[in-house]
Amino acid sequence: MADNFPLRDPRVDAFIVALPDWQQEICRQVRELVHAADPAVAETIKRTTQPYFVLEGNICALLAAKDHVNVFLYDGGIVPDPEGIITGGHDNKTARTIAFRQGESIPGQALTAMFRQIIADNRAGGWRKLKPGG
């Protein structure tokens, strides 16, 4: 682990370096953005190989598919998406997804804002507590 990122998990490094170069770049960018959202974000592996970013609850997870990388946002569908970057899971009760394909740029400002809101919601008890009717 790098000294300036003590909450990084070497298993996440192993996940990323096993991917094709373009997927590595997407994962690295998302990783930087989630850590930039709050320096207390920690990394872990769940479901055997899945990288998760957590802070008082799940923030997001990475899943590399054949032609894209999914970023699962664990927000219960309550975090605003003013830039329209969510690509899937609009009716999912726990997580929505953003699929990034080779050559696409990552909307860093919008994604970081969403990460910050998920972290704030986690600190306030989590989306299950905050969601209307929750």
Side-chain angles (χ1 to χ4, degrees), residues 44-112:
T44 190
I45 296 290
K46 297 183 181 185
R47 298 189 171 111
T48 311
T49 61
Q50 214 64 47
Y52 274 72
F53 300 88
V54 298
L55 180 56
E56 296 187 37
N58 292 332
I59 301 164
C60 68
L62 299 173
L63 176 65
K66 184 176 182 177
D67 65 349
H68 64 282
V69 173
N70 274 325
V71 178
F72 291 90
L73 300 174
Y74 289 93
D75 69 340
I78 65 172
V79 172
D81 180 19
E83 303 289 326
I85 65 173
I86 301 293
T87 58
H90 294 282
D91 296 323
N92 190 305
K93 296 190 186 320
T94 58
R96 296 180 290 171
T97 59
I98 305 170
F100 294 110
R101 288 173 170 63
Q102 186 172 8
E104 291 181 347
S105 62
I106 293 176
Q109 191 172 11
L111 189 55
T112 300

